[in-house]
Amino acid sequence: MKHRSYQFTHALCREPAQSVTQGLRLSDHGNPDPELLARQHDIYIQALKTAGVIVNIMPAREAFPDSVFVEDAALVLKGAAILLQPGAASRAGEPEALLEDGTAYFKSIVKPDLGGPIDGGDILVFDDLILAGLSARTSAAGAEGLAKAAAEFGYDLRAAQTPPDILHFKSHCSLLDHQTVISTPGLARSGCFDGFKVLTTPEDEPQGSNVIRVNDYVIMSAEAPQTIDMLRAEGFEVLPVPTTEVAKIDGAVSCCSLRYSL
Ligand code: CIR
């Protein structure tokens, strides 16, 4: 049977730093509480384990307040990590930190010259197709650079547009299965998911659109109750996890892990 893009054997996370209080944010909702964030991160890791993956955890990196959001530093295709070029200056060293701390966890690790910035949060991976949302963190040049790197693994890459005023493409959409996405209504209207089945979140619950489908489970924010009910009614096995602290610095469930198969 074809290997699906939501089937994973492994996940890689990073312990949150105490400096997470300095994490970047588009608007201020107060600093995250590092202790509570760490407890919520543990619950998240437990959910990944329930979904059947082996979770490896790298040590905290105090020099990088946002380094718990490990998804932005690399894209893993077929077990091989492609180091990315984060678009925020304070995060530029995170791929190097991943190289130092994480190399042993992948089949291989490459550092291509991407020619421009691109964050993992802007990259949505289907079975053979990648959508890359152009944003303040991801340039057309970065997406083109990644297209070349991803082609070597058999993926086509299509650029899309991250909606204005949000951080990342995946702040407003996620994969539910190989032919289904969940999206905010606004992003769905842009037409970037033509050819896919699209479920839309309620207008007042955009936080429901960032989920991770991991094997038979959908891990998502407990702070999206209407979307949880909707996905359960659609037959998905949902594992809600608390995300109040990462949400204060524009984080959500997808950014806290790299998921892949070995
Ligand atoms: C940042 O602004 O880079 C972090 N505070 C949040 C990153 C979230 N990453 C993601 O959704 N992939």
Side-chain angles (χ1 to χ4, degrees):
M1 207 174 61
K2 189 176 168 60
H3 182 84
R4 296 297 183 189
S5 51
Y6 54 84
Q7 292 170 326
F8 303 111
T9 58
H10 288 71
L12 182 61
C13 298
R14 188 184 283 288
E15 276 175 12
Q18 291 294 316
S19 61
V20 74
T21 52
Q22 313 302 313
L24 298 172
R25 64 209 79 178
L26 292 174
S27 53
D28 199 17
H29 305 284
N31 287 342
D33 171 342
E35 277 69 45
L36 181 54
L37 192 147
R39 285 203 296 280
Q40 293 183 342
H41 195 250
D42 285 344
I43 296 170
Y44 172 80
I45 287 166
Q46 202 45 54
L48 285 168
K49 289 180 180 167
T50 300
V53 296
I54 294 166
V55 184
N56 290 302
I57 306 171
M58 299 179 289
R61 285 281 197 147
E62 291 299 335
F64 300 112
D66 284 301
S67 55
V68 64
F69 303 125
V70 69
E71 175 184 63
D72 292 316
L75 175 68
V76 189
L77 298 177
K78 300 186 176 165
I82 301 171
L83 294 177
L84 298 173
Q85 191 176 319
S90 66
R91 306 196 62 187
E94 290 184 32
E96 202 57 39
L98 181 62
L99 187 68
E100 285 168 18
D101 301 341
T103 295
Y105 299 118
F106 304 108
K107 260 188 203 153
S108 61
I109 192 159
V110 290
K111 195 180 175 193
D113 180 6
L114 295 172
I118 180 161
D119 275 13
D122 280 319
I123 304 171
L124 184 65
V125 181
F126 295 90
D127 289 355
D128 322 289
L129 173 73
I130 294 172
L131 287 185
L134 307 183
S135 71
R137 300 281 181 89
T138 295
S139 71
E144 245 171 68
L146 183 66
K148 288 199 194 95
E152 294 186 19
F153 295 90
Y155 288 81
D156 279 337
L157 186 144
R158 223 159 64 195
Q161 192 61 50
T162 297
D165 306 324
I166 64 162
L167 180 62
H168 284 134
F169 190 60
K170 286 190 295 187
S171 308
H172 276 206
C173 66
S174 308
L175 187 96
L176 283 172
D177 64 34
H178 60 288
Q179 55 195 8
T180 313
V181 295
I182 181 157
S183 168
T184 54
L187 180 56
R189 279 193 294 274
S190 76
C192 64
F193 303 121
D194 285 356
F196 291 96
K197 180 178 173 189
V198 184
L199 302 180
T200 52
T201 58
E203 289 281 2
D204 60 348
E205 211 173 76
Q207 67 275 24
S209 62
N210 184 278
V211 310
I212 44 176
R213 171 75 193 271
V214 181
N215 301 326
D216 294 337
Y217 295 86
V218 174
I219 300 173
M220 63 183 287
S221 170
E223 281 74 51
Q226 303 173 78
T227 316
I228 290 172
D229 287 350
M230 182 182 97
L231 292 184
R232 284 184 170 150
E234 290 281 337
F236 291 100
E237 190 72 48
V238 178
L239 296 175
V241 296
T243 59
T244 58
E245 299 316 292
V246 289
K248 288 176 185 164
I249 47 172
D250 303 331
V253 291
S254 75
C255 43
C256 293
S257 59
L258 287 166
R259 302 152 302 276
Y260 53 98
S261 280
L262 289 182

